[in-house]
Amino acid sequence: MEKVLLTSESVTEGHPDKVCDQISDAVLDEVLRQDNRGRVACETFITVGLVIVGGEITTECYVDLQPLVRDLLCNKIGYTDVKYGFDGASCSVLNAIGRQSPDIAQGVDTGGAGDQGLMIGYACRETPELMPMPIMLSHKLTKRLAEVRKQGILDYLGPDGKSQVTIEYVNGKPEKVNNVVISTQHTEEILDKTGNHITEKARNDIIEKVIKPVFPDDLDTSDVHYYVNPTGKFVIGGPTSDTGMTGRKIIVDTYGGLAPHGGGAFSGKDPTKVDRSATYFARWIAKNVVAAELTERIQVNLAYVIGEPDPASVSIDTFGSAKIEEDKLLQIINEEFDFRPRAIIERLDLLKPIYRQTAAYGHFGRKEDSFTWEKTDAVDALRSKAGI
């Protein structure tokens, strides 16, 4: 019997890096809302009292950056008070946006890929979402942190926070939760008399109201070690405690380290950039193959050359779990799916303002209708081609 511990982490929408991802994708959404032919490569940097938005954007529309950023920080994320170390209403917002290079545009305008690189999609049977269990549980924990904060269930929590889940796998299958980490920003009111640690009551409240509601009933949690704010306290958080940048949480964005990540980040990039759109496409293929019961798990690998429409390579790995020969499965995938960037954009309907919601709690394993790459609408075609 083989036992192994596997761990994934997630962060809340108030984490500085995730704040930057959301700002970059909010800019992208606003461009697409007005001009779905706009080209966007938007990067954000945040620190104490300062947001810098830069990158290369080519569009005929106008984006009023200041109110867009402030609305996101205050009304969507919750940085509304200096007690959280950052106030979205009074921080400085600097615009450092330029235009996309025409040297890149001349290759993309003809239908070629907006960049080179490796793109990876993955799916497995560990969860109903066909995702690895550690990352799904980690995302559910950080989403739950935001829920109890915004609903006033634990009104002393701040926007910044992290989770981490370690699962014990036996013979390749998840069996039980080994340990859980929750680090959450909070006000001083829940500190004990030393002023260096949260109270035992606050610790128990977080375990009972954040952690336990997330875990499914059939998962063994009988011997979990809980780490709640393991440094003792977390009063100073957000951009005051740490700078943030777009694209620094790419493993959180994908499979939590249980599958490889390609070369690029996602947020702030329009779908002509294949490091976003082709990765979504690879996930869609992988999920449909697993949902079609052609394999227990699969990794789909794509690569592109900038300016070229056809992929440089397409390969798969089923880790010995395929129900048909792997070569035949790859042949079916190549026959069924069109990997050209324009075809990907059309098939997944990507020229819409759908991206800010992807920028926190993972790009995969989501149930929202706009996450078209999570649909299992190619199952029947795959099963038919496989003769099932």
Side-chain angles (χ1 to χ4, degrees), residues 8-20:
S8 296
E9 70 157 345
S10 180
V11 298
T12 65
E13 62 206 56
H15 185 281
D17 293 328
K18 276 292 149 204
V19 171
C20 292

Side-chain angles (χ1 to χ4, degrees), residues 77-378:
I77 298 174
Y79 279 115
T80 57
D81 198 305
V82 292
K83 70 181 179 181
Y84 300 128
F86 195 87
D87 183 3
S90 61
C91 68
S92 297
V93 180
L94 301 184
N95 186 336
I97 294 172
R99 292 180 67 86
Q100 185 186 58
S101 164
D103 297 345
I104 296 175
Q106 70 180 9
V108 178
D109 290 344
T110 59
D115 205 348
Q116 69 175 41
L118 172 68
M119 299 84 202
I120 293 173
Y122 181 82
C124 61
R125 292 200 167 278
E126 293 179 16
T127 64
E129 300 86 357
L130 303 185
M131 286 281 288
M133 184 174 287
I135 188 65
M136 287 309 303
L137 291 177
S138 294
H139 285 324
K140 288 177 180 179
L141 286 171
T142 49
K143 287 187 78 171
R144 180 63 182 165
L145 273 177
E147 287 171 4
V148 298
R149 169 174 63 90
K150 292 177 178 180
Q151 294 174 11
I153 298 170
L154 298 178
D155 57 4
Y156 48 76
L157 298 184
D160 197 358
K162 292 184 175 183
S163 69
Q164 184 171 285
V165 177
T166 299
I167 301 291
E168 182 180 290
Y169 283 69
V170 179
N171 296 329
K173 296 186 180 297
E175 290 288 333
K176 68 176 183 177
V177 184
N178 183 276
N179 63 73
V180 177
V181 182
I182 289 287
S183 293
T184 179
Q185 187 183 17
H186 58 85
T187 57
E188 293 186 349
E189 67 188 83
I190 62 165
L191 293 175
D192 63 15
K193 292 180 180 180
T194 70
N196 294 319
H197 296 85
I198 63 172
T199 64
E200 190 65 20
K201 180 184 184 306
R203 179 182 183 275
N204 290 333
D205 280 346
I206 292 169
I207 291 172
E208 294 297 326
K209 297 179 181 179
V210 176
I211 300 176
K212 288 186 176 180
V214 160
F215 292 106
D217 294 336
D218 59 349
L219 186 62
D220 185 356
T221 58
S222 59
D223 194 27
V224 183
H225 193 124
Y226 297 111
Y227 298 90
V228 178
N229 283 21
T231 64
K233 65 178 182 178
F234 188 179
V235 173
I236 302 172
T240 298
S241 65
D242 193 9
T243 59
M245 294 182 71
T246 300
R248 285 207 301 200
K249 284 290 177 283
I250 58 175
I251 302 303
V252 170
D253 286 341
T254 54
Y255 306 104
L258 275 72
H261 185 98
F266 303 145
S267 290
K269 298 177 181 178
D270 74 78
T272 66
K273 281 76 172 174
V274 284
D275 43 8
R276 182 172 216 162
S277 56
T279 303
Y280 289 179
F281 198 62
R283 161 63 180 171
W284 180 59
I285 294 169
K287 185 172 184 180
N288 276 272
V289 169
V290 172
E293 300 182 350
L294 302 183
T295 183
E296 290 295 306
R297 62 183 179 125
I298 188 172
Q299 180 177 306
V300 178
N301 306 304
L302 309 178
Y304 286 83
V305 176
I306 188 168
E308 294 291 328
D310 293 313
S313 66
V314 179
S315 64
I316 63 172
D317 186 353
T318 62
F319 310 94
S321 68
K323 306 299 176 62
I324 61 176
E325 288 189 8
E326 198 166 280
D327 287 346
K328 182 181 179 181
L329 180 55
L330 179 58
Q331 180 183 347
I332 291 170
I333 289 170
N334 278 310
E335 290 174 353
E336 178 61 24
F337 301 106
D338 188 342
F339 294 92
R340 294 173 298 173
R342 283 182 176 174
I344 291 173
I345 290 168
E346 181 178 355
R347 183 122 188 202
L348 297 183
D349 197 15
L350 297 178
L351 290 177
K352 290 183 176 180
I354 58 174
Y355 294 102
R356 188 191 68 80
Q357 61 184 325
T358 70
Y361 312 117
H363 293 246
F364 308 130
R366 304 283 291 271
K367 297 180 180 179
E368 296 91 330
D369 288 341
S370 59
F371 286 67
T372 54
W373 50 95
E374 289 299 310
K375 294 181 179 180
T376 52
D377 49 355

